[in-house]
Amino acid sequence: MNRNHFWKALLSIALFLAAVPFAWADGESAPGRDPKQPVDEAYTAKMKKYTTAPYFTSPLVDYLPASKTVPTPEVVLGDVAGAPGILPYAEEVYKYMRLLEKAIPRVKVISIGTTEEGREMIAVAVTSEENLQKLEENRARLAKLADPRTINSDDSEADKLVAQSTPVYYITGTIHSPETGAPTALMELAYRLAVDESPYIKDIRDGVITLITPVVEVDGRDRVVDVYKWHLAHPKDFYPPLIYWGKYVAHDNNRDAMGMTLKLTQNVLNTYVDQKAQVLHDLHESVPYLYDNTVGDGPYNAWIDPILADEWNMIASRNVADMTKFGMPGVFTHGDFDTWSPGYLMFLAALHNGISRLYETFGNGNADTRERTLEPEEYARTWFKQNPPLPKTLWSQRDNNNYEETGLLTSLHYFNENKRLFLKNFYLKAKRSVQKPRAEGPVAYVLPADEPRGTLQAELLQVLQKQKVEISRAKSAITIALPVKKEKKKEGEKSGDAKEEKKEEKKEPTTRSFAAGSFVLRMDQPYSRIADALLDHQYWSPEDPQKTPYDDTGWTFGELFGVQVVRVTDAKILDAPMEKVSDVRASGGVKGEGAIFAINNHAEPALATLRYKLKDATIEAAEEAFDAGGAKFTRGTFLIRDAKRADVESAAKELGLQVSALGTAPSVKTHPVRSARIAYVHTWLSTQTEGWWRLALDSLQIPYEYMSTQAIAKIPDLRAKYDVILFPPVGINASATAIIQGLPTAWGNPLPWKTTELTPNLVGKNDSTDDMRPGLGYDGLAKLQSFVQNGGVLLTVDDTAQFALSVGMGAGVNAARSEKMKIVGAVVGTQLVDGASPIAYGYDEKISAYCDDGVIFSLSSVAGGRRRRHLGPDMKQRPTGRGTKDEPDFAVGRIGAEAPEEQESEAWEFPPLTPEQTHNNARVIPPANRARVVLRYANAKDLLISGLVDGGGEIAQHPAVLDVPFGQGHVVLFSINPVYRGETRGTYSLVLNTVMNFDNLNAGRKDAAK
């Protein structure tokens, strides 16, 4: 059978299935309308008109019940949900939901917070009138199930509560702004749930409280509607890509469920927990036609309760089965999505004792109807996709809405049919979380009171509080037993040998003590799993069958925040006296007397905030450690002069910094610490990754001027206006050519990103341009180079570091990508090479950092990096000849000559040059002009801290942070990403130190005078 005949046969089967009567379980309501309830004929006719094929709908959504009192979405949209050419703004969606609330006592609209740009987010509760009237009573019952400690984990009491309670199923839509269909689907779904009297829908309404947030990324929603309106007004032109979604990030807004930095994440979690929901079901649109992807593929997150994995399979399997009965093609649940990372919005439920759910349906990116042609792997029939999508089809937003609504209704109905089971599971997962210390462990995590990075410790604890984790503080000192480490037998070692070695080895401590005031995260609490997942270490085996991790593989927060976190397995700690802490803040203030104020530098980002707050004060950095006033101070310590004590005290208390007043200035070399003038540069290729940097700077209250690469060429003298240019990663491995040239301008039309009457929401608080296509340009490149040559500092990361090197701004430094190495969003070890560099002020010798297949830097002492040509490969061992491997060969008939000893260098060092290489060689880079290696990657065996590192030997020991002189200025190159998703706060100061010490980066450099 040829391919065309095969698909015609498959289509016939699909049509046949659509006509077959459905078989349902005994006592279960069958899907379909109530013949006694009239249908809105005009609305239904339009729905059918916009549905492009009869098998793209179902008996649940192929009609709309009529109501004389309740408005349909058409009153706001001007047409039916899913109609071509119509995308509503968030406010229009909200307007309709509030019309529903006024029209029928089965709907309640709840305001759940605002976005970064001040737009409202809502949740809409739809249920029976009786359920809505008793919403608070029901929530009180669910609260007891959510925290079994309130009923002493009494299963019989829990059973009574389960029998009396109505579960909450929370649906969220359009977190990804270009996935545009969910708002109209959810408008219509709310109407159906409120109005439809068919037994199938009535069962859901009476048995479940459906909670709906129709638009999660509200700022981005309004922008994508603007872009669509521009497209409709210019139908023959290319329309601008959605370069900004929210204020800060685009696609990564669905990776914030760990760091909790975005308002949308905080608002959704607060709603989920406050409403005591059992399910969080997030709607996406990137796969034909409905991928119930929570089942997906392995590995599953190691910290979920196994009950949840069963629930994923139960609901998804039934979902696929029901929609298959309807004859809807392309519905499946197994796929390539691994459920490892807890960073997704829906995963808030997974680690808060609920059920996480996610759909990928098929969106067109707007409300156009167009022909879609799939890739062979998308329409192939597989064991898990027996009724796959069609190779080619005409697809509409109405088709997408039909799939979304049908999937949700079948899930809601199955959830209602089994609600006692799911409510009992909700209780059991919470109970098992409370019992965690007596089961798999650990018992607790401790963050010691003697933590030198007090502000970062507080920030980590604040993230956990946003996650609803309870935090306690020890009232007195605590001593715990440490777990006994199992010794590994070395290769080739005999038992007797190990015993002899043990006699001489230093014994590991068996206990550890923590001072009063240490923070304790007890694991006998309902949300212990999220704390455990964030603080524990992760290991993704290179041998894992899953070879393409969907997202980050490691995220250990203690490592990434640079603070001490101790995993405790000794149950005695739970008996220690402690008290709950509701407001975690680092204590700060001024101690001592004197006019010189010293602040120890422990690489805390709050120091940069202080520098900008005290803008008129004279602040210097000590270039060496010193003792003063009976205390020890680190290299990089802030010494503040010409400031009022009251101002310093106020800022220190606000920021949580400990300040020592000194009577006299220490006799140590210093240099100024300045509030540098920052230009922050982005491209019009992508703003995804750089958005996390803006969020970090805004959170730290550090001012900067935000501009695109296009703006660089328009500024006559960059150095006169700015001291530092931050060029964060573009995030798409952008080439130097793409950064310079941008998008093609030889054809097509300008792509404006501007606020106009047609596009009132497009710019918001971000950047604008008449045409997104041009890049930096060669004039801009020349000005960027001139800026650095005249004393400015350019800070670059990953792909922008490669760009800087490729345009000649880093003599002796080469950058390459590895095809064999696989470091997928992992936590890796790095090590200080030059602690005297101001960039490294405050850091310990070993630093954990985030790396995602980072660029590999290598060094050469010769500009251009090429050695003298010779025949044959490099000689790594002596040639064949007399003697042993380590002895010299001889030449018969000649007195032996001793060969000069070859100098060796490490991967992070400049290779030494021979006299032959330096003779009359103008390309030899003088030591003072060579890159300064600040940080290097750890040795191969110490590289992995958390996540997946495979083939790490290729980057091990290579430079991770470089400071390259260029003219009178510096180019700072990062292979790691120091600012990422609000999770890497321990490495923020590598950036902030560069900024504050921009004009003294040569401080402490040993070869600076050569």
Side-chain angles (χ1 to χ4, degrees):
M1 182 183 290
N2 66 32
R3 180 173 289 182
N4 288 335
H5 289 159
F6 170 78
W7 287 111
K8 286 178 181 178
L10 185 65
L11 183 57
S12 299
I13 293 169
L15 291 169
F16 171 76
L17 288 172
V20 172
F22 310 114
W24 304 98
D26 291 343
E28 189 175 346
S29 300
R33 60 175 290 260
D34 177 5
K36 298 176 184 177
Q37 185 176 23
V39 168
D40 187 323
E41 298 291 352
Y43 193 105
T44 299
K46 288 183 178 180
M47 284 166 38
K48 291 181 177 180
K49 176 183 176 183
Y50 301 143
T51 299
T52 62
Y55 40 83
F56 289 153
T57 188
S58 74
L60 291 172
V61 296
D62 63 0
Y63 70 96
L64 193 81
S67 172
K68 294 180 179 179
T69 57
V70 182
T72 70
E74 192 169 10
V75 299
V76 169
L77 300 176
D79 206 332
V80 304
I86 296 176
L87 284 185
Y89 287 110
E91 276 298 323
E92 294 175 294
V93 179
Y94 297 174
K95 178 182 178 181
Y96 176 69
M97 295 301 194
R98 288 188 162 113
L99 287 174
L100 271 184
E101 182 183 34
K102 289 180 181 178
I104 190 167
R106 297 171 177 175
V107 179
K108 179 180 176 64
V109 177
I110 306 164
S111 185
I112 64 172
T114 57
T115 67
E116 281 78 7
E117 295 185 0
R119 293 180 177 88
E120 184 187 22
M121 289 179 65
I122 67 168
V124 183
V126 187
T127 188
S128 69
E129 186 174 354
E130 181 182 1
N131 286 341
L132 211 52
Q133 289 173 347
K134 297 179 179 178
L135 206 59
E136 292 307 313
E137 293 176 35
N138 187 65
R139 183 158 55 165
R141 287 191 295 270
L142 293 175
K144 293 179 181 179
L145 294 174
D147 187 353
R149 297 172 300 180
T150 59
I151 58 172
N152 297 316
S153 296
D154 185 335
D155 291 353
S156 60
E157 180 63 24
D159 288 339
K160 294 176 186 175
L161 292 167
V162 165
Q164 298 166 355
S165 300
T166 304
V168 180
Y169 195 111
Y170 187 17
I171 303 166
T172 53
T174 312
I175 186 173
H176 283 166
S177 302
E179 299 169 5
T180 57
T184 50
L186 293 173
M187 291 166 73
E188 191 173 278
L189 180 74
Y191 175 89
R192 292 182 187 279
L193 291 173
V195 171
D196 200 330
E197 296 299 335
S198 70
Y200 192 94
I201 303 298
K202 191 172 184 300
D203 287 348
I204 298 172
R205 184 170 59 243
D206 292 344
V208 178
I209 298 166
T210 303
L211 198 62
I212 301 169
T213 291
V215 183
V216 173
E217 177 54 273
V218 186
D219 298 333
R221 175 65 182 188
D222 287 358
R223 289 192 177 96
V224 80
V225 175
D226 276 4
V227 168
Y228 188 55
K229 288 192 171 183
W230 192 95
H231 162 56
L232 294 177
H234 306 83
K236 295 182 180 180
D237 290 343
F238 296 114
Y239 51 89
L242 196 68
I243 192 73
Y244 293 102
W245 300 10
K247 179 180 178 182
Y248 294 113
V249 294
H251 188 274
D252 256 15
N253 60 9
N254 193 36
R255 302 294 186 273
D256 187 49
M258 289 190 278
M260 300 292 294
T261 59
L262 302 176
K263 292 286 188 69
L264 63 83
T265 320
Q266 297 168 22
N267 293 340
V268 168
L269 179 60
N270 289 342
T271 304
Y272 171 82
V273 172
D274 291 348
Q275 298 298 322
K276 308 304 174 190
Q278 284 66 59
V279 180
L280 178 56
H281 192 151
D282 199 26
L283 303 183
H284 292 253
E285 300 171 18
S286 68
V287 177
Y289 299 105
L290 190 150
Y291 174 25
D292 191 330
N293 89 335
T294 320
V295 172
D297 196 2
Y300 281 2
N301 182 278
W303 293 267
I304 65 165
D305 193 305
I307 292 174
L308 173 60
D310 293 338
E311 291 171 321
W312 284 340
N313 280 278
M314 290 169 64
I315 302 176
S317 297
R318 180 58 184 270
N319 207 166
V320 173
D322 285 358
M323 294 182 73
T324 299
K325 289 179 188 178
F326 296 149
M328 302 178 80
V331 181
F332 61 102
T333 187
H334 294 278
D336 60 0
F337 173 77
D338 64 78
T339 311
W340 174 252
S341 168
Y344 314 107
L345 185 77
M346 58 99 177
F347 224 82
L348 292 171
L351 291 176
H352 290 82
N353 302 323
I355 304 171
S356 54
R357 302 267 289 128
L358 190 147
Y359 282 167
E360 293 281 6
T361 56
F362 203 35
N364 284 340
N366 54 39
D368 287 355
T369 299
R370 61 191 182 95
E371 188 174 84
R372 302 296 300 273
T373 302
L374 306 186
E375 297 294 327
E377 61 268 21
E378 292 179 307
Y379 61 75
R381 187 180 64 81
T382 66
W383 69 267
F384 59 85
K385 200 189 295 184
Q386 291 291 331
N387 185 9
L390 306 175
K392 182 185 289 187
T393 191
L394 186 67
W395 189 258
S396 68
Q397 181 166 253
R398 182 66 224 182
D399 296 332
N400 185 33
N401 281 184
N402 289 340
Y403 270 77
E404 288 172 312
E405 290 185 59
T406 301
L408 288 170
L409 287 170
T410 56
S411 288
L412 283 164
H413 192 264
Y414 178 72
F415 184 75
N416 175 63
E417 290 289 318
N418 298 274
K419 62 187 172 187
R420 303 301 169 213
L421 168 68
F422 291 122
L423 280 169
K424 185 63 179 287
N425 284 353
F426 179 64
Y427 160 76
L428 286 175
K429 285 180 286 187
K431 179 182 176 181
R432 285 151 66 108
S433 293
V434 173
Q435 293 174 339
K436 188 174 176 59
R438 300 202 304 272
E440 74 274 16
V443 171
Y445 285 91
V446 176
L447 282 71
D450 60 357
E451 172 60 58
R453 297 186 173 103
T455 58
L456 284 168
Q457 182 188 70
E459 288 180 29
L460 173 52
L461 291 168
Q462 287 162 7
V463 170
L464 290 167
Q465 284 191 315
K466 288 178 182 178
Q467 294 279 10
K468 312 302 180 184
V469 175
E470 297 170 2
I471 297 170
S472 300
R473 202 163 194 175
K475 290 184 176 181
S476 58
I478 301 173
T479 299
I480 59 153
L482 295 175
V484 178
K485 292 183 179 179
K486 291 184 179 180
E487 295 185 13
K488 292 182 179 179
K489 189 184 291 186
K490 297 175 185 175
E491 191 174 346
E493 181 184 66
K494 296 179 181 179
S495 300
D497 297 336
K499 288 178 182 176
E500 288 298 319
E501 281 187 22
K502 276 185 189 177
K503 294 178 182 177
E504 300 177 8
E505 281 181 8
K506 187 178 179 181
K507 289 187 176 180
E508 293 283 337
T510 58
T511 62
R512 178 163 178 179
S513 296
F514 301 100
S518 294
F519 292 99
V520 182
L521 304 175
R522 302 171 63 103
M523 292 293 100
D524 57 348
Q525 59 172 298
Y527 300 139
S528 61
R529 295 195 187 283
I530 182 61
D532 194 19
L534 296 183
L535 300 178
D536 205 351
H537 286 73
Q538 296 78 43
Y539 177 71
W540 184 301
S541 170
E543 303 297 322
D544 196 282
Q546 176 64 270
K547 299 303 180 186
T548 54
Y550 202 82
D551 201 69
D552 289 344
T553 59
W555 52 81
T556 307
F557 269 38
E559 301 284 357
L560 290 175
F561 276 65
V563 299
Q564 303 172 70
V565 176
V566 182
R567 190 175 189 266
V568 178
T569 57
D570 184 355
K572 290 181 181 177
I573 194 171
L574 300 180
D575 297 326
M578 60 185 77
E579 58 187 357
K580 286 185 181 178
V581 181
S582 58
D583 185 23
V584 177
R585 292 183 183 276
S587 61
V590 180
K591 294 181 180 178
E593 297 297 328
I596 307 294
F597 303 100
I599 307 177
N600 241 322
N601 193 333
H602 293 298
E604 296 174 275
L607 286 172
T609 306
L610 180 83
R611 169 62 279 189
Y612 282 89
K613 273 186 175 294
L614 302 178
K615 57 184 178 180
D616 297 325
T618 299
I619 303 181
E620 296 174 331
E623 294 186 7
E624 296 294 341
F626 64 91
D627 295 346
K632 294 184 179 296
F633 293 89
T634 62
R635 179 189 281 130
T637 289
F638 273 24
L639 296 170
I640 305 173
R641 311 168 194 268
D642 306 324
K644 295 179 181 178
R645 183 182 179 109
D647 293 341
V648 176
E649 179 92 46
S650 174
K653 284 184 176 178
E654 178 186 344
L655 298 174
L657 292 168
Q658 297 285 346
V659 183
S660 298
L662 306 177
T664 57
S667 55
V668 64
K669 189 177 180 181
T670 65
H671 65 256
V673 176
R674 305 191 192 279
S675 49
R677 301 167 300 168
I678 302 172
Y680 184 115
V681 176
H682 72 90
T683 70
W684 287 105
L685 302 170
S686 172
T687 62
Q688 168 62 43
T689 307
E690 62 88 6
W692 293 114
W693 287 60
R694 279 186 285 122
L695 190 151
L697 292 178
D698 287 351
S699 299
L700 291 165
Q701 302 172 52
I702 294 175
Y704 57 90
E705 190 166 335
Y706 187 56
M707 66 184 69
S708 75
T709 49
Q710 294 175 0
I712 296 291
K714 299 175 185 177
I715 299 173
D717 186 353
L718 283 167
R719 185 66 189 94
K721 291 191 69 175
Y722 308 108
D723 304 310
V724 177
I725 292 179
L726 298 181
F727 198 0
V730 179
I732 53 173
N733 287 335
S735 66
T737 301
I739 291 172
I740 294 169
Q741 296 183 358
L743 299 172
T745 56
W747 58 83
N749 52 275
L751 301 174
W753 190 269
K754 298 178 70 175
T755 294
T756 66
E757 187 175 344
L758 184 63
T759 58
N761 307 286
L762 213 53
V763 174
K765 299 181 180 180
N766 294 317
D767 203 357
S768 64
T769 180
D770 291 327
D771 187 2
M772 296 168 62
R773 296 176 301 164
L776 175 66
Y778 289 100
D779 287 344
L781 174 60
K783 290 191 174 179
L784 193 62
Q785 291 171 324
S786 176
F787 164 79
V788 182
Q789 287 171 330
N790 291 327
V793 171
L794 173 65
L795 188 148
T796 61
V797 184
D798 199 65
D799 51 14
T800 59
Q802 279 193 292
F803 153 76
L805 294 173
S806 67
V807 297
M809 300 176 73
V813 183
N814 296 304
R817 298 280 178 187
S818 171
E819 294 184 3
K820 296 179 181 178
M821 181 182 75
K822 186 183 285 187
I823 300 178
V824 184
V827 186
V828 299
T830 67
Q831 192 165 328
L832 276 185
V833 174
D834 191 346
S837 165
I839 296 172
Y841 282 170
Y843 282 99
D844 302 323
E845 183 183 357
K846 294 183 178 180
I847 305 163
S848 298
Y850 175 84
C851 179
D852 186 29
D853 279 343
V855 63
I856 302 173
F857 296 133
S858 57
L859 305 177
S860 171
S861 303
V862 179
R866 291 185 65 184
R867 291 185 175 183
R868 187 163 53 97
R869 291 185 65 191
H870 57 81
L871 295 175
D874 287 339
M875 186 176 290
K876 297 179 180 177
Q877 294 186 3
R878 58 155 285 186
T880 302
R882 71 146 298 275
T884 66
K885 187 174 99 171
D886 300 321
E887 290 181 317
D889 198 0
F890 61 34
V892 176
R894 194 181 79 189
I895 296 174
E898 188 174 343
E901 186 177 343
E902 290 189 17
Q903 292 181 299
E904 295 182 354
S905 61
E906 302 289 356
W908 68 88
E909 296 175 328
F910 283 91
L913 299 174
T914 67
E916 287 293 313
Q917 290 172 310
T918 59
H919 177 69
N920 194 35
N921 189 350
R923 294 192 297 117
V924 172
I925 306 170
N929 294 89
R930 295 177 189 169
R932 186 178 188 181
V933 182
V934 180
L935 209 64
R936 71 169 176 89
Y937 285 100
N939 300 341
K941 67 181 181 64
D942 301 319
L943 190 61
L944 172 63
I945 291 178
S946 272
L948 169 63
V949 172
D950 190 14
E954 294 202 39
I955 202 170
Q957 299 188 336
H958 281 262
V961 180
L962 288 164
D963 173 12
V964 187
F966 188 73
Q968 298 175 29
H970 297 256
V971 178
V972 180
L973 309 167
F974 282 78
S975 170
I976 60 171
N977 187 350
V979 183
Y980 179 73
R981 294 183 178 176
E983 299 170 10
T984 62
R985 302 187 203 189
T987 49
Y988 281 11
S989 287
L990 293 169
V991 174
L992 301 172
N993 284 344
T994 303
V995 170
M996 293 185 291
N997 297 278
F998 75 91
D999 55 349
N1000 282 281
L1001 291 181
N1002 281 332
R1005 181 169 179 145
K1006 294 176 183 177
D1007 57 9
K1010 293 182 183 179

